[in-house]
Amino acid sequence: MCTNNLETTNATRERAVSGTPDGQGRAPGATLPTITEREAMPSVLPVTEDPGAPRPAPGAPSVLGTPPAPGAPPGAVHPTGHTTGPTAGHTAGPTTGHTAGPPTGPAPGDYRAAFNVARLAMAVVDREGRVLDANPALGALLGTDPALLITRSAADLADLREDPRTWREYRDVLGGRAARLRRTRRLRRADGHALWAEVTVEPAPDSCSLLLSMADISDQRDLQGRLRHLQMHDPVTRLPNRSLFFERMTRALEAATYDHGGTGRIGLCYLDLDGFKAVNDTLGHRVGDRLLGAVAQRLTDCAAPDGHLVARLGGDEFALLVRNSTGTEQLCDLARTVLAALQEPFDVGGQRLSVSASIGVVERPAAGTHTTWLMQAADTTLYWAKEDGKARWTLFDPERNAHRMTRQALSSTLRPAVERDEFVLDYQPLVGLGDGVVRGVEALVRWDHPQFGRLSPNRFIPLAEENGAIVPLGRWVLRTACRQARAWQLAEPPHPLVVSVNVAVRQVWDSDLVADVAAILAETGLPPHLLQLELTESAVMGSTGRPLQALQALSDMGVAIAIDDFGTGYSNLAYLSRLPVSTLKLDGSFVQGFRAEEHPNPADETIVEALVQLAHRLGLTVTAECVESAEQAERLRRIGCDTGQGWFYSRPVPPDRIQAMITCPAAPG
């Protein structure tokens, strides 16, 4: 070990052996550690006890260090690494200013001084959670004399009891089952002012006690609060934004589920301004923003009496959240109030503007409700309000929603269903009214859905036309029908049947229908004149460009073109002569007037007879749909209809049932 080459003064030597502590709190006889010794000292050292501080009971562990075991010999090493008696290895005689043996470490008074002058608020706590000592910084933080904190509960000082989880973890630290607890708590000073503090509780090194420390982070929390407010509020309307709204809604659902003092229900009004885009487009976004601010103020006024949350979710969409709602009537009253408030004109920058709103209203028990479901229901109901005419509110209807969900489920699985061969074709005969012979069949598609059973075309064809699945589905129907018609032709050559297949106008626009038909006819070997394509009147009348070219190309190929549901659409008779059409299929509404035998409507028969004569003069044949009785069939035959189709002859049946009808007149049924 290095020796000190500096001479010590007599005064220093006398003070070192006088038995009186020096100004730095070193014990009598203690020497100043060398640089090497100071660097070897532990970074965190136990705080020693002040002679004037309260002392633990006899036999209790030392607060700031553990006493030597009873009977330990002088110089025995304590578990902390300090000796318990005279330092071994010291030379006898006068002190020379340095030791001749191992260093004894800093004196206890050094830790006491550091504890007292530290800016970090600290307290020494025993294993029962009582404060044994507190430094002046803790007293300043809490606004009290640190001496008054002695014997106080540390949990009360640091507010560790309110949160069950924090209290449990704090007890684990006291019992030695956890190494540290760190929490941010809101504390209250003795003068009533509040502050935010980061509280840490951890065992003190080389001691049976624990160290409680508190750091004031109020300024940091205030800054975080201001930043969060900017982040969670809409800059245009100053309302809570979408993120804060969902956060509050989640809390409301949780609180309503477990709070036995409330109603246990929750409500939501989800609104959208009608025609707001026109304001932005014509008057500019600055006026639009001012209008949104005025709308937000009126919504806030409507919600203020009951303290409902109002938020802007984006664009011109707003939401009002009703916590602990009393039922649907409360939500409906709120929606009426909002509509009435928004119908009053707005004065924006000297301009008088009027807007309306569509509102979706949802109210239900909070238990089992998720934010995602609640918003989906509200969005769906808002769509219903707009679909029903706007400027209104609509209450969520579970049955209507179930139907919508079914539509979505069907729409999303249409294309995969085609690939999985879940569709089948039934056929309904087209019978000659004069001789009762089956002249052809109409192919009608059915969906054998694995969940909903067999579905008729009206359940999924409109969906297929909306999402484009009609193209692959229509191609499958056409191929299957042509293959079946070819099989009948080969089985009964003298009685070939014309197979009629419905075609949607989207098939003409979204695919090359002419190429598809040509390829399928070549693939199946069916002659073109045995295929008839049916298009609705609204799809055919007024066709120009590509649709008309496709119809003409199909007609030139030898395929027959029929207009389905004739008489219910445009009925542009002048245009009819310019279309490559071979057959008119009269809508069933004309035939229904033929049912009353006692009181027949002569106008119905006059109209049908005129249509039949017009069609014949244009070289077209006429098929009457929805024939359900012999009397109807007879009257239609009498006025000149060529063929009939309906339940009087046969319901749509599988292809093997058609085989029996080919060689003999169709039997009614």
Side-chain angles (χ1 to χ4, degrees), residues 3 6 26 73 245 251 261 311 350 353 387 424 461 486 493 540 544:
T3 60
L6 298 177
R26 288 189 289 272
F245 174 77
R251 291 182 186 174
L353 302 177
E387 190 179 44
V424 296
I461 290 297
R486 176 59 173 168
V540 174
T544 58

Side-chain angles (χ1 to χ4, degrees), residues 264-508:
R265 303 185 68 86
I266 193 167
L268 178 62
C269 289
Y270 185 29
L271 66 95
D272 177 274
L273 300 181
D274 301 323
F276 177 75
K277 184 177 183 298
V279 175
N280 273 341
D281 293 343
T282 57
L283 302 178
H285 288 273
R286 177 174 298 180
V287 175
D289 287 349
R290 296 181 64 180
L291 177 59
L292 289 175
V295 169
Q297 184 58 54
R298 291 194 185 179
L299 294 178
T300 302
D301 294 341
C302 293
D306 297 313
H308 304 317
L309 174 67
V310 183
R312 182 190 179 197
L313 303 188
D316 57 348
E317 297 178 356
F318 297 84
L320 291 86
L321 183 66
V322 179
R323 290 158 288 200
N324 287 317
S325 64
T326 58
T328 57
E329 189 59 34
Q330 180 188 13
L331 270 297
C332 295
D333 289 343
L334 179 60
R336 295 188 191 99
T337 302
V338 169
L339 279 182
L342 296 181
Q343 285 174 353
E344 295 294 326
F346 292 85
D347 187 2
V348 179
Q351 301 187 70
R352 204 168 165 80
L353 302 177
S354 296
V355 297
S356 63
S358 301
I359 307 177
V361 179
V362 182
E363 200 279 340
R364 62 169 287 115
T369 300
H370 191 270
T371 56
T372 302
W373 183 94
L374 196 61
M375 286 305 301
Q376 285 178 345
D379 185 66
T380 298
T381 312
L382 173 61
Y383 172 78
W384 294 343
K386 286 188 170 295
E387 190 179 44
D388 294 341
K390 301 181 180 180
R392 67 190 64 221
W393 59 270
T394 301
L395 184 64
F396 179 75
D397 182 0
E399 292 185 4
R400 186 173 180 179
N401 184 62
H403 178 69
R404 181 188 69 88
M405 295 297 291
T406 302
R407 282 176 54 89
Q408 288 182 344
L410 295 178
S411 179
S412 62
T413 56
L414 264 168
R415 291 179 183 270
V418 177
E419 300 173 359
R420 293 192 297 262
D421 291 329
E422 293 180 3
F423 294 93
V424 296
L425 290 184
D426 284 344
Y427 299 88
Q428 190 171 31
L430 303 174
V431 180
L433 291 173
D435 54 13
V437 174
V438 178
R439 304 291 178 82
V441 292
E442 180 180 356
L444 300 172
V445 64
R446 307 287 190 258
W447 186 357
D448 280 338
H449 196 280
Q451 180 180 356
F452 303 114
R454 175 160 290 200
L455 304 178
S456 58
N458 63 328
R459 292 286 303 276
F460 59 87
I461 290 297
L463 299 177
E465 293 178 347
E466 290 176 7
N467 64 15
I470 192 65
V471 173
L473 177 59
R475 192 177 292 119
W476 178 89
V477 171
L478 183 63
R479 178 178 290 104
T480 304
C482 289
R483 186 180 295 117
Q484 182 60 61
R486 176 59 173 168
W488 286 326
Q489 181 194 23
L490 295 176
E492 297 289 341
H495 306 283
L497 294 181
V498 174
V499 62
S500 189
V501 178
N502 291 279
V503 176
V505 67
R506 187 162 183 175
Q507 291 178 254
V508 181

Side-chain angles (χ1 to χ4, degrees), residues 145-168:
D145 186 348
L148 299 178
L149 301 178
I150 307 301
T151 72
R152 290 279 303 277
S153 169
D156 294 339
L157 295 179
D159 190 31
L160 301 178
R161 298 181 187 272
E162 297 300 322
D163 179 8
R165 178 182 175 185
T166 299
W167 173 246
R168 183 177 63 254

Side-chain angles (χ1 to χ4, degrees), residues 475 477-486 489 497-499 501 513-533 553-561:
R475 192 177 292 119
V477 171
L478 183 63
R479 178 178 290 104
T480 304
C482 289
R483 186 180 295 117
Q484 182 60 61
R486 176 59 173 168
Q489 181 194 23
L497 294 181
V498 174
V499 62
V501 178
L513 182 61
V514 177
D516 288 344
V517 170
I520 290 173
L521 290 177
E523 174 189 333
T524 60
L526 183 69
H529 70 276
L530 296 182
L531 174 63
Q532 177 175 272
L533 301 180
L554 291 169
S555 179
D556 295 342
M557 191 186 302
V559 176
I561 305 296

Side-chain angles (χ1 to χ4, degrees), residues 21-41:
D22 64 7
Q24 299 183 19
R26 288 189 289 272
T31 59
L32 184 67
T34 65
I35 295 176
T36 304
E37 292 168 344
R38 289 199 298 270
E39 291 177 349
M41 294 178 186

